[in-house]
Amino acid sequence: MNRSVPAGLVILTCWSAGVVAAAVLEPARPVEMAALLLAVGAAAAAVVARPAWIALALAATLLGVVRAGVGAADPGLAALAATWAGRPVTLSGLVVDDARGAAVGYEVLVQPEPTGRAGPAGARPPGNLLVRVRNGVPPAPGDSVQVSGRLRLPADRPGFDRRAYLAQRHALLELSGASLQITRHGEGPAALPALLREHYRSALADLLPAPHAAVLTGIVLGIRSGVPPALERDLVATGLVHLLVLSGLKVAVFARLVTAGLAPVLGPWAAFPALSLIVLYALAGGATPAALRAAAMGGLVILAGTLGRPTHVWTSLAVTAAAMLAWRPELSWDVGFQLSFAGTAAIILLTPGFEHRLGRLPGWFREPFAVTCAAQVGTLPMMAADFHLLSPVGPLANALVLPLLPVMVAGGLLVAPLAAIPALGEIAVLPLAALLEYLEQVAGWLARVPAASLPVPAFPPWAGAAYYLALAGSMGAARSSGRARRAALLVAALGPLLIGGAEVVLWARPVPEAAILAVGDGQAVLLRGPGGWVLIDGGPSPTRLADGVGARLPPWQRRLQGLILTGPGAGHSGGLDGLAYPATEVIVPSGVGEGAAWRRAVFRQVALGARTREVAAGDTWWLAGLRFEVLAPEPRAPDPGQLALRVAGPSGRSLCDLADLDPEAQVQAARRLRGGCDYLLLPDSGRSTPVPELLAAARPGRLLVSDGGGRLARGLPLALLSRTSEEGVIVLPL
């Protein structure tokens, strides 16, 4: 076996690759094909090391594929879950996982007991429930709780099949904005981490004023609750928010403290209680993927040292990834898991090069600066795609703070027991309070530097692939010479160009589609036909419309084939103020209504050379290769009404846009409708239910809501419903 490529690394990487690929495959794609392709790749990787390992690599890959399918939710349960969606419930259940922080409050998995008040006696919703709570103390695994709220199917996110991800955790329904009451705390070993966590938070609250207590709790245990929003925004903007996550550095500090304290007493036997305490520390911090990864790798190092075996960082990383994915394959979709492993790999690969080029800087500044640069370079596409923010001042902020982090972690761990002696604890905590004040001031000052944080509205997957290909080629060129160096430079230069060129070709290819843009309360629909682009309405915000249209249109596309205004309301035309794309034709309902934004949008397009057309029910025309049928308003109506449309693409699929038709106008539109609607954009942002006559005539396969996250009308079939407030831009093939 080639010593530079450990056998364990090859086999366990193949296992991990099999789990990841099979876990993210769409259900419609055969797993057998994935197994075959992965097996070929595994064989190629094994040949580089030694042919004798080919069979084991193949077996590891296939076992990874098989493991990804073990325990998957029964497909029939999804249909059963849809029958529960929309029901109000009050039920008891058992918390089966650690609570996770959310944008507001927290979310926790609850296994219902057969005592719910919804459905038949003794019935309960299928699978687990993902309960989202706005405030209160999160429960711990093993706690019995009572939850109340309205069930709904999990909301997807842009580019992410969240329902499939949650199904891996057997969660088929969720309660959003629910109320949760802990009826009984769990007992036994499973309750110990939560008990320690609450005692620690209480001790720090007694010793430190706000916000220092909440910040130190985040630094030591990775729990972000209680940090003021303004301070959290500063930490995010300066790239210091990772300090509030239980990271590998903190686990390493804890491991050193534990081993240093136990070794003089237990000698060589100190490793085993140290491993137990490290695991307990990771569990007390919420058992995040980053904490588990750090605890597992740290445990491997301690265990290897006790057994007198050498360690190899790549083998440890592969072993940890394989073990975590074997335990929970759905972690392959977890952002924390991805960032933890990608960041660790980037630090290993890139830090030496950065440090070498920063040789003139003092060591206390150079090392954290280099580590932060390496982590940011290695995770840039993930940060841009998942958090839509980049922090140029991050390396400087981390260089100023990271040298003090071990002191803060160690001090935070050691000072908590002194809460039992308030007089002594208040004196001992003073240095920690000074360090925390320094951290908060660094974040506050650097967050106000111009361009301290750069928003990234959209970062497509192809851009990430091009970035990593260029990065891999550059690293290969830096570590090679001769022909290998030239080949690596060629990959770094041509690879991104080929990916970008392929994307341009796909962009230029006219694939008919309708994109319901996420513009808040209101609507904006961007249609793509064989002959160009058509925009229906503009939503309420010019900024959000510009972001949505700019992200969809190719860079060279500067003109729209058509602009259609369905009504004079601010939710339809407010975003058109200053629209940067002139239209060839502007379509408005017969009898232009009142409204300053409406008139400005029409007059501006006319000034740019557009011709106008007034339409009424019964009119049909072709534009950009799409067929438009007008359902409302009625011809020669005494008052101008909303414009309702049916748009049909070359494939025969159709989208019906009802604007804000009132019930009477909906009945008239239903009489005009021919051919049904594959997709139905609900009127009034879904706050009212379409009349039965319209639903019967449309026979929609999917209901769409363009909204800002408000309440929907009761009685909507939630199994067919998609909302821009939950999924972002909704793209529909025509």
Side-chain angles (χ1 to χ4, degrees), residues 131-151:
V131 181
R132 301 172 66 89
V133 185
R134 294 183 181 276
N135 48 44
V137 178
D143 286 353
S144 295
V145 296
Q146 186 177 67
V147 295
S148 299
R150 186 176 294 274
L151 292 171

Side-chain angles (χ1 to χ4, degrees), residues 36 90 173 224 244 275 409 422 452 466 497 513 658 670 714:
L36 180 60
T90 298
L173 293 161
R224 292 168 60 173
L244 304 183
L275 289 175
V409 173
L497 290 177
E513 65 181 24
L658 298 184
R714 294 186 178 183

Side-chain angles (χ1 to χ4, degrees), residues 65-319:
V65 173
V66 172
R67 175 60 186 92
V70 174
D74 181 359
L77 293 180
L80 179 59
T83 65
W84 284 81
R87 298 187 189 183
V89 295
T90 298
L91 50 83
S92 300
L94 188 70
V95 177
V96 296
D97 200 359
D98 282 290
R100 299 188 180 188
V104 178
Y106 63 89
E107 60 184 32
V108 65
L109 272 181
V110 174
Q111 183 181 47
E113 297 174 354
T115 56
R117 298 178 187 172
R124 61 178 176 180
N128 298 327
L129 296 181
L130 182 70
V131 181
R132 301 172 66 89
V133 185
R134 294 183 181 276
N135 48 44
V137 178
D143 286 353
S144 295
V145 296
Q146 186 177 67
V147 295
S148 299
R150 186 176 294 274
L151 292 171
R152 70 176 188 181
L153 296 174
D156 284 333
R157 294 174 182 168
F160 176 51
D161 191 348
R162 184 166 172 266
R163 290 182 183 177
Y165 166 65
L166 292 176
Q168 291 281 347
R169 302 169 68 189
H170 304 283
L172 304 175
L173 293 161
E174 67 180 11
L175 285 173
S176 184
S179 63
L180 182 146
Q181 180 181 2
I182 301 174
T183 57
R184 183 176 60 83
H185 288 286
E187 300 175 351
L192 182 58
L195 184 64
L196 292 175
R197 186 187 310 148
E198 290 309 311
H199 277 292
Y200 183 81
R201 294 173 65 170
S202 176
L204 289 189
D206 292 339
L207 292 175
L208 283 166
H212 296 338
V215 174
L216 187 58
T217 302
I219 289 175
V220 176
L221 291 182
I223 300 171
R224 292 168 60 173
S225 60
V227 178
L231 176 57
E232 188 166 358
R233 284 195 297 269
D234 291 344
L235 293 171
V236 170
T238 55
L240 292 172
V241 72
H242 70 90
L243 298 179
L244 304 183
V245 177
L246 195 56
S247 62
L249 178 59
K250 298 174 186 178
V251 173
V253 171
F254 181 81
R256 289 177 183 175
L257 288 174
V258 168
T259 52
L262 294 177
V265 179
L266 301 177
W269 299 101
F272 299 101
L275 289 175
S276 301
L277 290 174
I278 290 172
V279 172
L280 183 61
Y281 177 58
L283 294 176
T288 62
L292 294 178
R293 190 271 310 159
M297 292 187 67
L300 286 173
V301 172
I302 293 175
L303 188 60
T306 302
L307 299 176
R309 300 296 299 273
T311 59
H312 189 280
V313 66
W314 291 110
T315 300
S316 299
L317 198 65
V319 168

Side-chain angles (χ1 to χ4, degrees), residues 320-585:
T320 304
M324 292 179 68
L325 290 172
W327 173 46
R328 286 187 176 177
E330 72 273 8
L331 285 175
S332 58
W333 282 347
D334 189 279
V335 175
F337 178 89
Q338 296 168 4
L339 285 174
S340 178
F341 281 89
T344 302
I347 289 171
I348 296 169
L349 287 171
L350 302 176
T351 299
F354 281 114
E355 279 198 277
H356 177 70
R357 288 164 176 78
L358 300 171
R360 295 185 179 182
L361 296 176
W364 64 268
F365 184 91
R366 181 179 64 249
E367 183 179 355
F369 188 87
V371 167
T372 308
C373 287
Q376 284 198 348
V377 169
T379 60
L380 184 145
M382 299 179 187
M383 297 297 295
D386 294 317
F387 300 101
H388 305 288
L389 189 74
L390 297 177
S391 177
V393 301
L396 175 60
N398 281 274
L400 294 174
V401 172
L402 281 183
L404 302 174
L405 184 61
V407 179
M408 287 189 276
V409 173
L413 289 168
L414 296 175
V415 79
L418 297 179
I421 312 174
L424 180 59
E426 290 173 0
I427 296 174
V429 84
L430 288 177
L432 270 178
L435 292 177
L436 293 169
E437 181 66 27
Y438 169 75
L439 164 63
E440 294 161 14
Q441 290 296 325
V442 167
W445 279 99
L446 290 181
R448 285 152 185 80
V449 172
S453 59
L454 302 177
V456 183
F459 196 87
W462 66 265
Y467 175 87
Y468 279 122
L469 190 58
L471 179 62
S474 301
M475 290 173 54
R479 302 184 180 195
S480 59
S481 59
R483 292 183 177 178
R485 182 184 180 88
R486 289 192 292 271
L489 288 173
L490 197 63
V491 169
L494 293 183
L497 290 177
L498 291 174
I499 293 176
E503 184 64 22
V504 167
V505 171
L506 293 175
W507 233 343
R509 188 181 64 181
V511 178
E513 65 181 24
I516 315 300
L517 304 181
V519 292
D521 282 323
Q523 70 174 46
V525 182
L526 186 62
L527 304 173
R528 183 182 190 181
W533 301 78
V534 179
L535 178 64
I536 304 178
D537 291 332
S541 167
T543 301
R544 299 189 70 170
L545 178 67
D547 289 343
V549 173
R552 304 293 309 171
L553 262 61
W556 61 84
Q557 186 73 37
R558 306 308 305 167
R559 175 172 287 274
L560 301 172
Q561 289 296 107
L563 173 63
I564 302 175
L565 300 176
T566 63
H572 296 265
S573 55
L576 296 172
D577 192 14
L579 180 67
Y581 300 89
T584 302
E585 189 171 10

